[in-house]
């Protein structure tokens, strides 16, 4: 199949990068391997965002029960334990309301590598979609407000009600910076936590 097409793309981040290693010998792939590898691992993604100077919720690498105890001591609770890979729509996540909740949390995610992330008291969640061409030209949509229920996105509204001009401008700027740093070609969605004029990059 790869030999029969001019360009290869994908829309889901949970595919093995080894597939791209094989396919990129057959045709150009957009988005590229770096964008995929960064977006599919929460720890890699958070570190990448921080290296760009963008703000995220506090987080820590968790590979064991001892790591989780240390992360709780550093970050505090409430917090969310999230698998580094493969989680979506609230799957692969455990909310820790207090330190005592740590005892069964590692088992709940089946011992998979994870991060502990501080829970943020935000006003709303919003996303920016940015399209970037092979030539590096970018275009961004206005911010979109996201409304979730039971961890699943139920409604998106654009223009985003409740998003200030300053917050909206910051989100667009951050999304474009991320796309450029990844050398992303295609459409990229960046999700944010918004509190007043302040924004944190979520994923």
């Amino acid at each position: 199949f790869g030999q029969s097409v001019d360009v290869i793309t994908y829309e889901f981040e949970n595919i093995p990068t080894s597939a791209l290693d094989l396919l990129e010998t057959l045709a150009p792939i957009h988005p590229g391997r770096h964008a995929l590898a960064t977006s599919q691992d929460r720890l890699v993604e958070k570190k990448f965002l921080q290296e760009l100077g963008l703000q995220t919720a506090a987080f820590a690498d968790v590979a064991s029960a001892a790591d989780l105890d240390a992360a709780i001591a550093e970050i505090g609770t409430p917090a969310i334990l999230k698998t580094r890979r493969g989680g979506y729509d609230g799957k692969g996540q455990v909310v820790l309301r207090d330190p005592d909740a740590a005892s069964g949390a590692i088992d709940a995610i089946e011992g998979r590598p994870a991060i502990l992330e501080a829970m943020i008291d935000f006003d709303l969640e919003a996303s920016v979609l940015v399209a970037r061409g092979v030539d590096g030209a970018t275009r961004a949509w206005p911010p979109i407000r996201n409304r979730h229920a039971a961890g699943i996105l139920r409604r998106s509204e654009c223009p985003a009600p409740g998003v200030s001009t300053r917050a909206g401008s910051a989100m667009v700027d951050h999304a474009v910076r991320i796309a450029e740093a990844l050398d992303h070609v295609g459409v990229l969605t960046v999700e944010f936590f918004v509190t007043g004029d302040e924004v944190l990059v979520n994923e």
Side-chain angles (χ1 to χ4, degrees):
F1 177 72
Q3 292 173 333
S4 70
V5 299
D6 297 318
V7 179
I8 298 168
T9 190
Y10 52 91
E11 62 175 358
F12 184 59
E13 70 268 23
N14 293 321
I15 61 172
T17 53
S18 57
L20 301 195
D21 295 340
L22 172 65
L23 292 168
E24 69 184 358
T25 65
L26 305 176
I29 300 176
H30 303 303
R33 189 184 196 283
H34 180 45
L36 176 64
T38 302
S39 66
Q40 68 183 192
D41 185 318
R42 287 189 170 96
L43 181 63
V44 172
E45 183 179 63
K46 297 289 186 189
K47 288 181 175 180
F48 164 78
L49 294 169
Q50 286 194 337
E51 288 168 3
L52 286 181
L54 304 179
Q55 298 295 311
T56 69
F59 66 93
D61 187 10
V62 175
S64 66
D67 288 343
L68 180 56
D69 290 339
I72 290 173
E74 177 186 348
I75 293 173
T77 55
I80 307 176
L81 184 67
K82 300 179 177 181
T83 56
R84 285 177 56 177
R85 292 172 173 267
Y88 64 96
D89 287 349
K91 296 176 177 64
Q93 300 184 11
V94 180
V95 176
L96 306 180
R97 298 290 177 189
D98 57 66
D100 294 337
S103 58
I106 297 290
D107 290 339
I109 62 167
E110 301 174 343
R112 295 163 65 188
I115 65 169
L116 186 71
E117 186 176 305
M119 288 187 72
I120 303 299
D121 184 18
F122 54 86
D123 295 337
L124 57 90
E125 290 184 52
S127 296
V128 168
L129 280 73
V130 58
R132 185 171 182 272
V134 176
D135 62 355
T138 59
R139 297 290 185 272
W141 281 261
I144 301 162
R145 182 168 179 172
N146 301 320
R147 299 183 190 269
H148 294 79
I152 298 174
L153 178 63
R154 300 294 185 183
R155 182 179 175 88
S156 295
E157 299 168 89
C158 184
V163 174
S164 70
T165 300
R166 180 175 173 181
S169 178
M171 284 188 282
V172 170
D173 175 72
H174 293 354
V176 169
R177 287 177 61 195
I178 291 167
E180 290 175 344
L182 290 172
D183 195 23
H184 189 90
V185 174
V187 178
L188 178 71
T189 305
V190 183
E191 186 178 277
F192 299 87
F193 297 132
V194 182
T195 305
D197 288 337
E198 302 301 316
V199 300
L200 296 179
V201 183
N202 181 28
E203 59 184 12

